[in-house]
Amino acid sequence: MSAYTYGIDFDAIAAIDIHTHVEIDGCGHRSMDDELMAASEKYFKSGAERTPTIQAIAEHYRARNMAAVVFTVDAGAATGHAPNSVEEIAEVAAQHNDVLIPFGSVDPWQGRAAVRRARRLVDEFGVKGFKFHPSMQGFEPNDRRFYPLYEALTEAGVPALFHTGQTGIGAGLPGGHGIKLRYSDPMLLDDVAADFPDLTLVLAHPSVPWVDAQISIATHKANVYLDLSGWSPKYFPPQLVRAVNGMLRHKALFGSDFPVIQVDRWRADFADLEMKPEVTPLIFKANALRVLGITD
């Protein structure tokens, strides 16, 4: 085991993709079962390889002079499906620390065990943040039963990235495979942001159908950011584009949702938006450096 330390030349890289998934790990686990994987592929119309290795992800971003935050989601309690090995991801990311930044994931339903594991992932494996997917993990983020976990993340000084809005996981299946969208309403995270002002929160994806709420929360709470992953920029709601181009220029982060959305496609579509030239470098790198604690 080797704890991750940054080997990235942050001055030289062109961008930081804050949102990439490891869907298969070195232990042979997959982040979703076959039915959910197939539904997700249909929803995103994924044409590329859905399960690249961590090494392949590193090569993909290295070739583009970019860094990438990599993670999985531990949703064992809600899905009954064995998660990818978070520890394995962190260890392999450490071997590619010139381009990869590992985030951890813990199942909130594990209670005190989740808190202990989160601390161990930071202290022993060097993860630089945590990913949560409330709909997939089946929990309401503002339930006070999970507050000890947020306290641990606050103490560790690492950000928490939460899926918000619609999800392609379970899309089109009967009952959405039992996955409930309301858990990913960003207003639930407004409570968390208010109660943990020293915890940096990232609201992942345009939070359709709650985009206006997402914009309000990110505007109101200094500790809340948003990432732009999971959607081609050509489909961004217009009010989100206006906000990112204006009052949220220091709050928006580049994210692709790789491999379900290819980074080259996302960047090409983003280039077609009428973004102010001074805003683009903030989105692609400067804001992420602040979220990750690299700069103030």
mmCIF file of all heavy atoms in Angstrom, residues 110-129:
data_model
loop_
_atom_site.group_PDB
_atom_site.id
_atom_site.type_symbol
_atom_site.label_atom_id
_atom_site.label_comp_id
_atom_site.label_asym_id
_atom_site.label_seq_id
_atom_site.Cartn_x
_atom_site.Cartn_y
_atom_site.Cartn_z
ATOM 1 N N GLN A 110 -23.389 2.260 6.448
ATOM 2 C CA GLN A 110 -22.502 1.502 7.323
ATOM 3 C C GLN A 110 -22.199 2.241 8.630
ATOM 4 O O GLN A 110 -21.469 1.717 9.479
ATOM 5 C CB GLN A 110 -21.206 1.158 6.592
ATOM 6 C CG GLN A 110 -21.405 0.157 5.460
ATOM 7 C CD GLN A 110 -20.103 -0.216 4.783
ATOM 8 O OE1 GLN A 110 -19.100 0.469 4.917
ATOM 9 N NE2 GLN A 110 -20.124 -1.312 4.043
ATOM 10 N N GLY A 111 -22.759 3.429 8.777
ATOM 11 C CA GLY A 111 -22.677 4.145 10.043
ATOM 12 C C GLY A 111 -21.266 4.418 10.510
ATOM 13 O O GLY A 111 -20.448 4.985 9.787
ATOM 14 N N ARG A 112 -20.968 3.998 11.746
ATOM 15 C CA ARG A 112 -19.646 4.275 12.314
ATOM 16 C C ARG A 112 -18.539 3.601 11.527
ATOM 17 O O ARG A 112 -17.415 4.127 11.449
ATOM 18 C CB ARG A 112 -19.610 3.830 13.781
ATOM 19 C CG ARG A 112 -20.362 4.777 14.720
ATOM 20 C CD ARG A 112 -20.321 4.314 16.154
ATOM 21 N NE ARG A 112 -21.113 3.105 16.369
ATOM 22 C CZ ARG A 112 -21.292 2.508 17.539
ATOM 23 N NH1 ARG A 112 -20.707 3.018 18.617
ATOM 24 N NH2 ARG A 112 -22.035 1.430 17.658
ATOM 25 N N ALA A 113 -18.850 2.458 10.901
ATOM 26 C CA ALA A 113 -17.842 1.795 10.071
ATOM 27 C C ALA A 113 -17.502 2.652 8.859
ATOM 28 O O ALA A 113 -16.347 2.692 8.413
ATOM 29 C CB ALA A 113 -18.338 0.423 9.622
ATOM 30 N N ALA A 114 -18.491 3.363 8.318
ATOM 31 C CA ALA A 114 -18.240 4.252 7.182
ATOM 32 C C ALA A 114 -17.340 5.410 7.602
ATOM 33 O O ALA A 114 -16.454 5.825 6.843
ATOM 34 C CB ALA A 114 -19.558 4.779 6.623
ATOM 35 N N VAL A 115 -17.563 5.924 8.799
ATOM 36 C CA VAL A 115 -16.735 7.016 9.310
ATOM 37 C C VAL A 115 -15.294 6.551 9.473
ATOM 38 O O VAL A 115 -14.346 7.231 9.059
ATOM 39 C CB VAL A 115 -17.291 7.541 10.642
ATOM 40 C CG1 VAL A 115 -16.341 8.567 11.253
ATOM 41 C CG2 VAL A 115 -18.675 8.149 10.445
ATOM 42 N N ARG A 116 -15.121 5.375 10.067
ATOM 43 C CA ARG A 116 -13.763 4.845 10.257
ATOM 44 C C ARG A 116 -13.076 4.606 8.918
ATOM 45 O O ARG A 116 -11.889 4.913 8.743
ATOM 46 C CB ARG A 116 -13.806 3.544 11.071
ATOM 47 C CG ARG A 116 -14.204 3.728 12.537
ATOM 48 C CD ARG A 116 -13.917 2.470 13.338
ATOM 49 N NE ARG A 116 -14.705 1.337 12.870
ATOM 50 C CZ ARG A 116 -15.923 1.018 13.335
ATOM 51 N NH1 ARG A 116 -16.486 1.761 14.281
ATOM 52 N NH2 ARG A 116 -16.576 -0.040 12.873
ATOM 53 N N ARG A 117 -13.841 4.059 7.962
ATOM 54 C CA ARG A 117 -13.245 3.775 6.656
ATOM 55 C C ARG A 117 -12.870 5.068 5.935
ATOM 56 O O ARG A 117 -11.822 5.146 5.282
ATOM 57 C CB ARG A 117 -14.211 2.954 5.801
ATOM 58 C CG ARG A 117 -13.573 2.455 4.507
ATOM 59 C CD ARG A 117 -14.566 1.710 3.647
ATOM 60 N NE ARG A 117 -13.917 1.139 2.481
ATOM 61 C CZ ARG A 117 -14.556 0.829 1.356
ATOM 62 N NH1 ARG A 117 -15.862 1.046 1.258
ATOM 63 N NH2 ARG A 117 -13.909 0.321 0.335
ATOM 64 N N ALA A 118 -13.724 6.073 6.037
ATOM 65 C CA ALA A 118 -13.421 7.354 5.394
ATOM 66 C C ALA A 118 -12.110 7.916 5.929
ATOM 67 O O ALA A 118 -11.262 8.392 5.165
ATOM 68 C CB ALA A 118 -14.567 8.333 5.610
ATOM 69 N N ARG A 119 -11.939 7.869 7.241
ATOM 70 C CA ARG A 119 -10.697 8.377 7.837
ATOM 71 C C ARG A 119 -9.488 7.573 7.373
ATOM 72 O O ARG A 119 -8.427 8.133 7.091
ATOM 73 C CB ARG A 119 -10.820 8.349 9.357
ATOM 74 C CG ARG A 119 -11.776 9.409 9.907
ATOM 75 C CD ARG A 119 -11.950 9.296 11.400
ATOM 76 N NE ARG A 119 -12.723 10.411 11.943
ATOM 77 C CZ ARG A 119 -13.543 10.314 12.966
ATOM 78 N NH1 ARG A 119 -13.696 9.152 13.602
ATOM 79 N NH2 ARG A 119 -14.209 11.375 13.398
ATOM 80 N N ARG A 120 -9.673 6.255 7.278
ATOM 81 C CA ARG A 120 -8.558 5.409 6.836
ATOM 82 C C ARG A 120 -8.205 5.678 5.377
ATOM 83 O O ARG A 120 -7.025 5.699 4.994
ATOM 84 C CB ARG A 120 -8.910 3.932 7.030
ATOM 85 C CG ARG A 120 -7.716 3.006 6.808
ATOM 86 C CD ARG A 120 -8.046 1.555 7.101
ATOM 87 N NE ARG A 120 -8.844 0.959 6.025
ATOM 88 C CZ ARG A 120 -10.131 0.655 6.114
ATOM 89 N NH1 ARG A 120 -10.797 0.894 7.241
ATOM 90 N NH2 ARG A 120 -10.778 0.112 5.110
ATOM 91 N N LEU A 121 -9.231 5.906 4.547
ATOM 92 C CA LEU A 121 -8.977 6.181 3.135
ATOM 93 C C LEU A 121 -8.177 7.471 2.954
ATOM 94 O O LEU A 121 -7.335 7.568 2.058
ATOM 95 C CB LEU A 121 -10.302 6.259 2.362
ATOM 96 C CG LEU A 121 -10.985 4.925 2.077
ATOM 97 C CD1 LEU A 121 -12.413 5.145 1.577
ATOM 98 C CD2 LEU A 121 -10.189 4.117 1.053
ATOM 99 N N VAL A 122 -8.435 8.448 3.804
ATOM 100 C CA VAL A 122 -7.677 9.698 3.742
ATOM 101 C C VAL A 122 -6.274 9.502 4.309
ATOM 102 O O VAL A 122 -5.270 9.850 3.677
ATOM 103 C CB VAL A 122 -8.412 10.824 4.495
ATOM 104 C CG1 VAL A 122 -7.532 12.075 4.579
ATOM 105 C CG2 VAL A 122 -9.737 11.159 3.820
ATOM 106 N N ASP A 123 -6.193 8.927 5.494
ATOM 107 C CA ASP A 123 -4.920 8.854 6.209
ATOM 108 C C ASP A 123 -3.961 7.831 5.611
ATOM 109 O O ASP A 123 -2.749 8.079 5.540
ATOM 110 C CB ASP A 123 -5.157 8.513 7.681
ATOM 111 C CG ASP A 123 -5.909 9.602 8.428
ATOM 112 O OD1 ASP A 123 -5.914 10.743 7.945
ATOM 113 O OD2 ASP A 123 -6.498 9.291 9.489
ATOM 114 N N GLU A 124 -4.488 6.681 5.180
ATOM 115 C CA GLU A 124 -3.617 5.593 4.737
ATOM 116 C C GLU A 124 -3.529 5.474 3.214
ATOM 117 O O GLU A 124 -2.515 4.982 2.690
ATOM 118 C CB GLU A 124 -4.087 4.263 5.334
ATOM 119 C CG GLU A 124 -4.051 4.229 6.861
ATOM 120 C CD GLU A 124 -4.516 2.906 7.425
ATOM 121 O OE1 GLU A 124 -4.563 1.911 6.657
ATOM 122 O OE2 GLU A 124 -4.844 2.861 8.625
ATOM 123 N N PHE A 125 -4.570 5.884 2.502
ATOM 124 C CA PHE A 125 -4.590 5.732 1.052
ATOM 125 C C PHE A 125 -4.511 7.064 0.312
ATOM 126 O O PHE A 125 -4.377 7.092 -0.902
ATOM 127 C CB PHE A 125 -5.837 4.963 0.609
ATOM 128 C CG PHE A 125 -5.812 3.509 0.996
ATOM 129 C CD1 PHE A 125 -6.254 3.102 2.254
ATOM 130 C CD2 PHE A 125 -5.319 2.543 0.130
ATOM 131 C CE1 PHE A 125 -6.225 1.769 2.623
ATOM 132 C CE2 PHE A 125 -5.274 1.211 0.492
ATOM 133 C CZ PHE A 125 -5.726 0.815 1.741
ATOM 134 N N GLY A 126 -4.595 8.160 1.044
ATOM 135 C CA GLY A 126 -4.369 9.463 0.437
ATOM 136 C C GLY A 126 -5.459 9.966 -0.482
ATOM 137 O O GLY A 126 -5.193 10.815 -1.339
ATOM 138 N N VAL A 127 -6.711 9.485 -0.335
ATOM 139 C CA VAL A 127 -7.762 9.992 -1.213
ATOM 140 C C VAL A 127 -7.982 11.476 -0.935
ATOM 141 O O VAL A 127 -7.806 11.957 0.178
ATOM 142 C CB VAL A 127 -9.083 9.201 -1.065
ATOM 143 C CG1 VAL A 127 -8.861 7.713 -1.310
ATOM 144 C CG2 VAL A 127 -9.743 9.444 0.274
ATOM 145 N N LYS A 128 -8.360 12.204 -1.977
ATOM 146 C CA LYS A 128 -8.443 13.658 -1.916
ATOM 147 C C LYS A 128 -9.863 14.191 -1.872
ATOM 148 O O LYS A 128 -10.081 15.412 -1.939
ATOM 149 C CB LYS A 128 -7.703 14.266 -3.114
ATOM 150 C CG LYS A 128 -6.237 13.874 -3.198
ATOM 151 C CD LYS A 128 -5.481 14.264 -1.937
ATOM 152 C CE LYS A 128 -3.998 13.901 -2.035
ATOM 153 N NZ LYS A 128 -3.279 14.202 -0.770
ATOM 154 N N GLY A 129 -10.848 13.318 -1.753
ATOM 155 C CA GLY A 129 -12.245 13.714 -1.676
ATOM 156 C C GLY A 129 -13.109 12.466 -1.669
ATOM 157 O O GLY A 129 -12.589 11.337 -1.686
#
